Amino acid sequence: MDALAEIRGIYFDECDEFTGLLEGYLAAMAEGRATSEDINGAFRAVHSIKGGAGAFGLSALVNFAHRFEACLDALRSGRVSVHAAPIDVLLQAGDVLTNLVQASRDGATLPIDSGLLEALEAFCGGTPKQAVPAEFAIEPEPAPAEEAAPPAPSRRPVTVRITPDADLFRRAIDPRVVFEALAGFGALELTCDTSAIPPLDSLDPLTCHLAWTAVVNTDATPGAIVEAIDCFLADHEFTVLDGSDADHASAPANQGDTPSPQADAVAQPGPAASADAAAVAKPEPAAVTAPGRRAGGGTIRVDLDRIDKLMNLVGEIVITQSMLTERATMLPKREAAVFVDALFSLNRQTRELQDNVMAVRAQPVKVVFQRLPRLVRELERSLGKKAELKLAGEDTEVDKTIVEELADPLIHMIRNAMDHGLESPEDRLAAGKPQEGVIRVSAEHRGSRILISISDDGKGIDRDRLIEKARSRGLIAPDVDLTPEEADNLIFHPGLSTAAKVTDVSGRGVGMDVVRRNVEALGGRITVESSPGRGCKFTLGLPLTLAVLDGMIVRAGAERFVFPLSSIVETMQLDSRSVEPLPGGRSVLRLRGEVAPIIRLRDLLGIRALGNEPNVVIVETDSVPRLAIAVDEIVGQQQVVVKNLESSFRRVEGVSAATILGDGLVALILDVDALPAMTQTSRRAPPMTGMYGAA
Amino acid sequence: MSAAHDLSGLPQAASADLQQIVTFRIDDRTLGVEVEAVREIKGWQPTTPLPNAASHVLGVINLRGAIIAVYDLRRRLGLGPAEVSRSSVVIVVDLGERLAGILVDAVSDIIDMPRSSFRAAPDIAGEGDDALKALLVRGNDVIALLDLSAIVRETPI
């Protein structure tokens, strides 16, 4: 049963993909730009969900998916025109289907709005009855649209002949899984045909020489049985015969390579459809996908670990190569020329290799974007507002880890835009705007970063309210005047939320500051532009990958450290005239009218060294907007490969990861946000055992 | 402490009663670890120190692209800091979930020891004593078998 549980997990993972795709297809229909490809795609997605649901006995899901599918089939066959279709019903059905998948995964039940079911029935109500494939009539409570289907059959033996292709085992199909699925329908009697097994000396254990005849004593329809096993076997590999008499077997209606939507409905159309021995073939989409998968082209699923290993190897090549480059400078000129030429090619090839491996890990932001239309619809309902979501740049690709981390901030900002940004329809009309607001989400590449912007045409940030709140909480002095930009940026301050009342959508005061922290944890930045009465725009800039990082290498004592470039505001020489000593031995740096606390990296990290640091790196941190960190030398800017330190040692305060520099030595990447807190404890910290590194 | 003296947890050598031990010297002491735990033995290379780590944590090194922490065994055993010399080596050991390097003066030998020669380490609360798993008696010599997980522990129990 473990194997079945695993397959169940894969099924639900695939369901997530299917619901995501479905969302996209439905959005195309809603916008009136749907092609037949979109409609077919939507049908296939729903059908695939239904097929798997049947295999796992998720009857509620099967039932709903089936009704939904019938509507899409009506569109697909042209019986109902897309333009006449009630798109709202389809969109709502898509949402319900997604919720049902979620509920089924959690083993929960979900009541379905009967109004929606009626609307779906009405949708394809006018269609000829025989158009609904008889094999779909497997549900305990058949939809009225399927009245023509035979009544639920009584318990009788059903014969399933399984004649798998020779590559069954190579496809990693364990026939036991099929038997288990069959046994789920009732008492199973299994006979194995071993006649095709060759003599032992010519036996290839990976080739399947077996065939089975299974007789299940069940009250399930042949269709249900087909659905239960067609995820494991191709069309031509099995035949389901209603009745134990195998002589009534007819050839499978669908040979897989010539799918035809009409032929697959019922093997013997017409009045004979309900006859006892009707051999039932599976619906067309499964037949289309199955041979495609075996054809060897297209796509494969690869374990992420393997790609990570590849990525690590590329990282090592990059390090080795920078070691070689360093050595090249030491060679005599004549020899160096040839060497440098070769290095130049190597450099380019490594770069290309790195880009290609990264491309394997890359995913389009569509994966996250496609969840947004549904979110907006739900928010429209719960907030009583109207909004149109416009997406752009969905195909922009970024590393998988970034895509995953993108979902929460995006969802949060959409909620914010819907809740705080957009006005109610009445207020919008009063302000001379169209009733329906517009939320735009777009993605684009900009250098080695991805820019994602979320904008709305709502009322903009309420600056006065923000300032008033910040003052009442003592976050800004009463006499300080803020520029509009500074006021807008208060939105990222922890503990400030402009919602007048706390709603379940947003307004708990853990809003944009959390978004900013999460974005910065990824090495990204977030900015806001607001124009009162006209709207608000947030822009996220994120690195394309977490595996490499643009860093600034500095030296403190004999040790080198890496600052993430994203946290550096500027670097400069330390001018003693702009240093202001404070009582207690600390000092601050005057910086164009502002002051920045100065800390010495060597004190912070307990490095033994002499002399004054001539340079300072100004960084922006969570808690201190400008922090001046004194260092001995600013070595230079470089892309570094990020190596986890936690897994090879433990978490180290002030350090986010490690990297290997061109000379093969390890340098630590600083966790800038943790540095201010360390200044409190650094005086008590024991010095680093740095004398070995200095050797 | 008693858990550290339990010999039943020792890895089994191929020969049922023999355990192969990699031995090395610190001053005039002979110490050892089970051969199964040793991944490789490499020469000294400068470490990158880690802020606010225990004094016997020398820092991290690059082991063919992997980052591993290196520990000063002398310091851990309360024998003062190690002085790196030509014969100094780092024994790379497998701690299960990660690799670690242990700096020792020099590697001596790989020997077969019968299990019957294993004795419980004396339970005296001296510095570094908790890092011993057992004492192996070999003629007139006594070899101290190290408890690797205790060596890398930063706060002695």
Side-chain angles (χ1 to χ4, degrees):
Chain A
M1 286 313 280
D2 276 343
L4 205 56
E6 201 175 303
I7 293 168
R8 195 172 187 269
I10 295 172
Y11 162 69
F12 280 116
D13 285 348
E14 285 177 346
C15 277
D16 289 344
E17 284 174 32
F18 289 134
T19 51
L21 288 170
L22 178 66
E23 184 77 37
Y25 297 132
L26 292 177
M29 292 184 209
E31 287 160 28
R33 56 177 170 84
T35 62
S36 63
E37 195 42 55
D38 291 317
I39 298 167
N40 281 331
F43 175 84
R44 274 197 303 274
V46 175
H47 179 81
S48 303
I49 291 172
K50 187 181 90 165
F56 296 109
L58 307 167
S59 57
L61 186 54
V62 174
N63 275 328
F64 185 78
H66 171 63
R67 290 173 194 216
F68 191 7
E69 182 190 21
C71 294
L72 292 168
D73 189 46
L75 286 178
R76 191 172 65 130
S77 62
R79 287 195 305 275
V80 177
S81 154
V82 188
H83 305 291
I87 290 300
D88 287 353
V89 172
L90 289 181
L91 290 173
Q92 207 190 334
D95 293 351
V96 168
L97 186 69
T98 309
N99 291 337
L100 262 176
V101 167
Q102 195 58 47
S104 305
R105 183 198 291 253
D106 302 340
T109 53
L110 195 74
I112 295 170
D113 179 24
S114 58
L116 176 63
L117 290 178
E118 280 164 24
L120 284 177
E121 277 156 27
F123 186 107
C124 47
T127 61
K129 293 197 160 116
Q130 65 267 34
V132 178
E135 99 249 23
F136 291 155
I138 58 169
E139 291 74 27
E141 34 165 356
E146 300 153 37
E147 275 161 3
S154 56
R155 190 165 285 277
R156 80 283 177 213
V158 174
T159 302
V160 183
R161 277 192 171 171
I162 304 166
T163 52
D165 285 345
D167 67 348
L168 183 76
F169 302 143
R170 289 195 183 87
R171 271 151 48 206
I173 304 283
D174 183 341
R176 280 178 301 182
V177 180
V178 180
F179 306 148
E180 273 164 16
L182 288 175
F185 288 98
L188 176 71
E189 205 181 290
L190 196 64
T191 42
C192 181
D193 177 4
T194 56
S195 60
I197 297 183
L200 197 56
D201 52 1
S202 59
L203 179 76
D204 173 8
L206 285 178
T207 304
C208 177
H209 302 288
L210 302 174
W212 292 272
T213 305
V215 182
V216 201
N217 202 24
T218 182
D219 55 6
T221 61
I225 296 171
V226 169
E227 297 237 342
I229 60 177
D230 77 346
C231 51
F232 307 115
L233 299 170
D235 281 344
H236 60 277
E237 290 183 311
F238 68 94
T239 324
V240 177
L241 306 158
D242 206 341
S244 58
D245 189 355
D247 292 342
H248 286 205
S250 54
N254 193 334
Q255 289 300 335
D257 47 355
T258 53
S260 89
Q262 273 69 42
D264 69 33
V266 170
Q268 295 151 353
S274 58
D276 281 346
V280 182
K282 290 149 306 310
E284 162 252 348
V288 171
T289 49
R293 218 175 286 147
R294 259 172 291 135
T299 56
I300 54 165
R301 271 170 197 268
V302 182
D303 196 32
L304 257 189
D305 280 351
R306 291 191 183 189
I307 300 173
D308 287 346
K309 271 185 195 146
L310 211 54
M311 194 69 210
N312 282 340
L313 274 174
V314 174
E316 280 165 46
I317 295 177
V318 173
I319 292 159
T320 313
Q321 179 207 306
S322 49
M323 281 159 115
L324 287 174
T325 311
E326 273 196 19
R327 285 292 161 87
T329 58
M330 301 173 195
L331 286 174
K333 244 190 178 160
R334 204 177 304 159
E335 289 165 47
V338 184
F339 196 62
V340 165
D341 270 359
L343 266 181
F344 189 75
S345 319
L346 180 65
N347 199 355
R348 190 170 38 78
Q349 287 149 2
T350 318
R351 212 12 105 127
E352 223 165 282
L353 182 63
Q354 194 176 6
D355 289 349
N356 275 287
V357 176
M358 299 235 255
V360 175
R361 283 186 55 101
Q363 278 190 318
V365 291
K366 193 189 280 167
V367 180
V368 177
F369 278 19
Q370 66 198 7
R371 298 189 212 167
L372 302 180
R374 173 162 179 246
L375 176 71
V376 169
R377 280 199 302 281
E378 274 171 7
L379 290 171
E380 277 183 312
R381 246 169 275 159
S382 60
L383 293 170
K385 294 181 179 179
K386 294 197 162 175
E388 186 191 354
L389 179 69
K390 290 190 171 169
L391 301 174
E394 295 109 305
D395 292 324
T396 312
E397 288 193 330
V398 66
D399 192 83
K400 187 178 160 65
T401 44
I402 301 272
V403 172
E404 284 160 5
E405 299 290 338
L406 207 54
D408 283 347
L410 262 183
I411 288 170
H412 210 106
M413 280 188 285
I414 298 270
R415 284 176 183 223
N416 250 351
M418 288 288 291
D419 199 14
H420 307 316
L422 293 187
E423 311 90 332
S424 65
E426 304 81 56
D427 288 355
R428 286 185 67 88
L429 284 177
K433 295 181 185 181
Q435 212 177 347
E436 188 177 59
V438 177
I439 293 179
R440 283 172 212 274
V441 181
S442 72
E444 61 174 311
H445 279 149
R446 180 88 45 92
S448 64
R449 299 177 84 72
I450 180 171
L451 289 188
I452 292 173
S453 66
I454 299 96
S455 61
D456 64 67
D457 67 344
K459 55 183 181 284
I461 293 177
D462 190 343
R463 281 174 197 151
D464 294 340
R465 249 196 94 74
L466 263 180
I467 294 172
E468 180 197 321
K469 259 195 174 175
R471 289 220 168 102
S472 73
R473 290 182 195 179
L475 301 173
I476 48 174
D479 53 339
V480 172
D481 271 330
L482 297 180
T483 64
E485 289 74 33
E486 284 169 332
D488 288 345
N489 273 297
L490 282 173
I491 202 164
F492 296 118
H493 201 290
L496 281 183
S497 174
T498 54
K501 61 179 171 92
V502 170
T503 66
D504 65 342
V505 175
S506 56
R508 281 170 304 269
V510 288
M512 294 308 296
D513 63 311
V514 176
V515 171
R516 183 173 73 164
R517 206 172 318 139
N518 292 345
V519 167
E520 287 179 352
L522 293 171
R525 296 246 153 231
I526 180 166
T527 55
V528 60
E529 293 163 57
S530 171
S531 146
R534 293 179 49 200
C536 182
K537 176 180 181 181
F538 288 94
T539 307
L540 283 176
L542 286 168
L544 293 178
T545 172
L546 293 181
V548 292
L549 170 144
D550 284 315
M552 176 77 81
I553 298 170
V554 303
R555 185 175 58 78
E559 297 305 325
R560 288 164 302 173
F561 295 90
V562 182
F563 280 100
L565 213 51
S566 59
S567 61
I568 294 184
V569 180
E570 60 186 311
T571 61
M572 59 176 80
Q573 292 198 326
L574 192 55
D575 181 355
S576 58
R577 282 167 302 180
S578 39
V579 177
E580 219 51 69
L582 297 181
R586 305 208 173 241
S587 49
V588 292
L589 179 71
R590 269 184 284 111
L591 199 68
R592 290 184 294 274
E594 304 277 324
V595 288
I598 302 181
I599 55 175
R600 306 167 83 191
L601 193 56
R602 62 166 81 145
D603 288 350
L604 211 53
L605 304 178
I607 297 163
R608 291 187 190 131
L610 296 170
N612 279 324
E613 296 93 335
N615 293 291
V616 67
V617 180
I618 315 286
V619 295
E620 186 184 347
T621 74
D622 265 358
S623 48
V624 182
R626 293 286 181 273
L627 183 64
I629 300 172
V631 299
D632 287 320
E633 186 189 353
I634 290 168
V635 180
Q637 210 171 305
Q638 188 185 320
Q639 199 176 55
V640 297
V641 176
V642 179
K643 300 265 177 185
N644 187 322
L645 190 60
E646 259 166 81
S647 60
S648 51
F649 182 60
R650 62 170 165 83
R651 213 186 76 76
V652 177
E653 197 189 7
V655 175
S656 64
T659 189
I660 297 167
L661 296 180
D663 55 10
L665 296 181
V666 180
L668 303 178
I669 301 172
L670 296 172
D671 177 2
V672 170
D673 287 328
L675 298 183
M678 286 174 71
T679 59
Q680 318 302 323
T681 52
S682 62
R683 273 143 204 270
R684 282 177 282 116
M688 284 168 91
T689 50
M691 61 276 215
Y692 302 101
Chain B
M1 279 307 297
S2 59
H5 296 161
D6 182 4
L7 303 184
S8 60
L10 291 173
Q12 301 293 308
S15 167
D17 196 43
L18 288 178
Q19 170 67 50
Q20 283 199 310
I21 306 285
V22 177
T23 65
F24 41 91
R25 299 194 69 80
I26 286 185
D27 296 342
D28 53 355
R29 296 167 179 78
T30 308
L31 301 135
V33 294
E34 292 98 338
V35 74
E36 293 83 356
V38 177
R39 280 293 200 83
E40 66 178 279
I41 295 169
K42 65 191 300 297
W44 167 255
Q45 71 184 77
T47 59
T48 298
L50 296 164
N52 305 325
S55 64
H56 71 286
V57 180
L58 288 171
V60 285
I61 59 166
N62 162 23
L63 181 75
R64 289 184 304 280
I67 307 252
I68 69 166
V70 178
Y71 299 83
D72 182 346
L73 187 58
R74 293 183 69 100
R75 216 185 249 272
R76 177 65 182 83
L77 297 177
L79 301 170
E83 275 171 42
V84 175
S85 75
R86 202 178 280 267
S87 64
S88 296
V89 291
V90 172
I91 301 180
V92 179
V93 294
D94 193 343
L95 298 175
E97 74 278 15
R98 64 178 170 117
L99 298 180
I102 294 178
L103 175 67
V104 300
D105 290 352
V107 168
S108 335
D109 209 352
I110 297 178
I111 54 171
D112 286 329
M113 292 294 291
R115 282 176 193 286
S116 57
S117 67
F118 286 32
R119 303 281 178 273
D123 199 353
I124 309 165
E127 192 179 356
D129 278 2
D130 61 319
L132 303 186
K133 184 148 68 173
L135 295 177
L136 318 182
V137 183
R138 190 191 197 210
N140 290 331
D141 288 339
V142 173
I143 300 164
L145 190 64
L146 296 175
D147 180 350
L148 291 172
S149 59
I151 298 286
V152 303
R153 201 152 43 218
E154 287 194 77
T155 46
I157 305 167

